[in-house]
Amino acid sequence: MHRLCSIRTLAFVVMMLAVSAVSRAQVAVSVNIAPPALPVYQQPACPSAGYMWTPGYWAYSPDGYYWVPGTWVEAPAVGLLWTPGYWAFGNGGYVWNAGYWGPQVGFYGGIAYGFGYTGVGYQGGYWNNRQFYYNRAVNNVGTTNITNVYNKTVINNTTVNRVSYNGGTGGTTARPTAQQEAAMRAKHTPATAAQLRHQEAARANRAQLASVNHGRPAVTATSKPGEFTAKGAAAAKGTTTENKTTATKPSPSRDKESTTAATRASEKKAAETKATENNDAKNRAAENKAAENKSAANRAAENKAAENKAAANRTTENKAAENKAAANRASENKTATKAAATRASENKAAENKSAANRAAENKAAENKSATNRAAENKAAENKAAANRTTENKAAENKSAANRASENKTATKAAATRASESKAAENKSAANRANEDKTAASKAAPTRANDNKATTQRAAKPAAHPEAAPKPEAHSESPVTEAHARPEKAAPHASGEQAHPPKEEEKPRQ
């Protein structure tokens, strides 16, 4: 026994280290013993609108399995539904998968918890326009002021049993569908603080232990979390209280006389008793006959009254159902009318907003286009001005370059003319020098010849003394002329006068 407690304690410590809260959707604890069957119980009335039913389940602690009663809980947010936790067999043990809140009900092992939880999905109600609607066929809405109700029979196509685990020997064989797997992977909200306190209260109550109640918990369901002793607490069906009595043994100290007297008294008593029994038998027969007659009459009257009451109740229920249906239809029609008006208003607002947006977009497009055109025109003007400036600058530079080139060409032409004039002057001077030299060279033999002729004539006897000075005059004149104008020498020494010199050539400009 001590070893078993140690094993349970170790398993509980492992559970606490693995997961710190029961709200986790994965493994919380693994146990080698299967959980007990689900108890059969009645659902308490829903305390108020907005509460949702969370079915009871077997949890585990170091002391063993204990029952957490089903209870009505407020959803943590509008639109969320409760997916119950379940035990599943795997790796040689039973593993607990805790429940969670989500937009859709996921996989909970195919466990038929009842009250809308048939093993697949939830048939107990649905959300609509932020209001939860209850299915009266599977929920006890009681006499509370809950108007969001409907009646839809739930048909269970599977064999209903009280097994509380999936897999293993005797467990359910359900497997998650693709939709349920998607719901399992979606974002979840863990159990609320009220649910956690509810489980802790069940764990602290030893009457909830399976080892104590043998699968029939004292409290199977509550109207609200934690209300184990309140009026709304329900016990399992079939739970009875054992009443034990104690018998007193008589004392055996009697003497023989007493035994004889007792025997006689006993015989007398037996005779009296026999007579009494006979009378009683007759009386009982008469009484039984009268009781049977009266009972038959009472049953007939009760049956008639029950039938009348049932008929009246059915009429009242039908009338109430008709009135409620009419009220629901009126409410639905009013809601539809309001929805249509809302849609019309939204459409009108959307059209106005769309028109305003189009006008604003067109205005913005026009402003942007005008701004772009102004910018383009400004850019074009700036570019044209820049181009004109560049062209003018280029023209000025080209004109200056052309003028510089022309001036350079003129300077070169002037230099060329000066060089040509200089060359012409040099050539003319050279030509004159050559001519002068040639003339001097030619004049020298002529003068020599003239001088020789003069000498010869002078040596001869003067035949004519009067003509002697004339040859001298002629001989001096050529010499003088030759020195003065070397260009042309006197052709003859006979006294012919030389040609006048040519006018000096001017240099070419």
Side-chain angles (χ1 to χ4, degrees):
M1 183 65 182
H2 177 71
R3 184 178 180 183
L4 180 59
C5 291
S6 299
I7 293 174
R8 289 178 175 177
T9 304
L10 179 60
F12 185 73
V13 170
V14 171
M15 175 192 70
M16 290 295 100
L17 292 176
V19 177
S20 61
V22 297
S23 61
R24 297 289 295 271
Q26 297 301 322
V27 175
V29 65
S30 177
V31 186
N32 294 329
I33 304 173
L38 297 173
V40 179
Y41 60 94
Q42 291 183 346
Q43 184 188 59
C46 181
S48 178
Y51 279 77
M52 300 186 64
W53 179 250
T54 59
Y57 58 93
W58 290 105
Y60 191 82
S61 72
D63 295 327
Y65 287 103
Y66 63 96
W67 178 255
V68 179
T71 188
W72 291 96
V73 179
E74 287 185 290
V78 175
L80 297 184
L81 300 172
W82 175 248
T83 297
Y86 67 99
W87 291 94
F89 182 81
N91 297 326
Y94 294 89
V95 178
W96 172 250
N97 296 270
Y100 56 86
W101 295 93
Q104 294 183 357
V105 177
F107 181 71
Y108 52 92
I111 310 300
Y113 286 109
F115 309 109
Y117 294 98
T118 61
V120 179
Y122 178 57
Q123 309 298 324
Y126 62 90
W127 288 96
N128 185 22
N129 293 329
R130 303 181 62 85
Q131 299 291 330
F132 189 77
Y133 286 74
Y134 299 85
N135 185 2
R136 299 187 63 175
V138 294
N139 285 314
N140 181 10
V141 295
T143 58
T144 56
N145 188 20
I146 299 177
T147 58
N148 300 326
V149 293
Y150 65 99
N151 200 330
K152 181 180 179 181
T153 302
V154 176
I155 300 175
N156 196 343
N157 295 323
T158 61
T159 301
V160 178
N161 52 43
R162 295 166 54 203
V163 66
S164 61
Y165 57 91
N166 176 269
T169 303
T172 63
T173 60
R175 291 294 179 266
T177 64
Q179 184 177 3
Q180 289 172 336
E181 289 181 347
M184 292 167 61
R185 292 191 297 268
K187 183 179 179 181
H188 299 155
T189 300
T192 63
Q195 289 175 286
L196 298 179
R197 290 193 298 270
H198 183 68
Q199 178 173 343
E200 287 300 318
R203 179 172 172 267
N205 190 345
R206 290 190 60 81
Q208 299 298 107
L209 287 170
S211 59
V212 175
N213 57 48
H214 306 291
R216 293 181 176 180
V219 179
T220 55
T222 64
S223 295
K224 290 183 179 181
E227 295 183 353
F228 286 76
T229 59
K231 183 179 178 180
K237 290 184 178 180
T239 302
T240 58
T241 303
E242 297 180 358
N243 297 322
K244 298 181 180 180
T245 59
T246 303
T248 303
K249 294 182 179 180
S251 174
S253 57
R254 297 286 183 185
D255 54 11
K256 187 176 181 180
E257 292 80 4
S258 298
T259 302
T260 304
T263 301
R264 287 195 297 270
S266 178
E267 290 175 355
K268 184 178 180 180
K269 183 70 173 175
E272 293 175 355
T273 301
K274 183 69 175 173
T276 303
E277 288 178 355
N278 292 332
N279 293 330
D280 289 343
K282 293 179 181 179
N283 293 333
R284 281 197 300 271
E287 291 175 356
N288 290 337
K289 185 66 176 176
E292 288 177 1
N293 294 333
K294 186 177 181 179
S295 177
N298 289 337
R299 282 197 301 272
E302 289 175 356
N303 291 336
K304 185 65 176 176
E307 290 176 359
N308 294 334
K309 186 176 181 179
N313 289 337
R314 284 196 298 272
T315 303
T316 303
E317 290 176 355
N318 292 335
K319 186 65 175 178
E322 291 176 359
N323 293 336
K324 190 171 185 180
N328 289 336
R329 285 196 299 272
S331 177
E332 291 174 356
N333 294 334
K334 187 175 181 180
T335 303
T337 304
K338 186 176 180 181
T342 302
R343 286 195 299 272
S345 177
E346 291 175 352
N347 293 335
K348 185 65 175 179
E351 291 177 359
N352 294 336
K353 186 175 181 180
S354 177
N357 290 337
R358 286 196 300 272
E361 291 174 356
N362 294 334
K363 186 65 176 179
E366 292 176 359
N367 294 337
K368 186 174 181 181
S369 177
T371 303
N372 291 337
R373 285 197 300 273
E376 291 174 356
N377 294 335
K378 186 66 176 179
E381 292 175 0
N382 293 336
K383 186 174 181 181
N387 290 336
R388 286 195 299 272
T389 303
T390 303
E391 291 174 356
N392 294 336
K393 186 68 175 178
E396 291 177 0
N397 292 336
K398 186 174 182 180
S399 177
N402 290 336
R403 286 196 299 273
S405 178
E406 290 175 356
N407 292 336
K408 188 174 181 181
T409 303
T411 303
K412 186 175 180 181
T416 302
R417 287 194 299 273
S419 177
E420 291 176 354
S421 299
K422 185 69 175 178
E425 289 177 0
N426 292 337
K427 185 176 182 181
S428 177
N431 289 336
R432 283 195 303 273
N434 290 333
E435 290 176 356
D436 290 342
K437 188 175 181 181
T438 302
S441 298
K442 289 176 69 176
T446 302
R447 283 194 301 272
N449 290 331
D450 290 343
N451 291 335
K452 186 176 180 182
T454 300
T455 303
Q456 289 177 357
R457 280 192 303 268
K460 288 180 177 184
H464 301 285
E466 295 88 1
K470 192 176 180 179
E472 290 178 0
H474 286 286
S475 61
E476 291 177 359
S477 179
V479 174
T480 305
E481 187 69 18
H483 284 288
R485 299 288 183 178
E487 296 178 1
K488 298 291 183 176
H492 301 285
S494 62
E496 291 182 2
Q497 191 176 356
H499 293 287
K502 294 181 179 180
E503 190 178 356
E504 184 178 353
E505 294 181 357
K506 295 182 180 179
R508 289 180 298 174
Q509 298 296 324

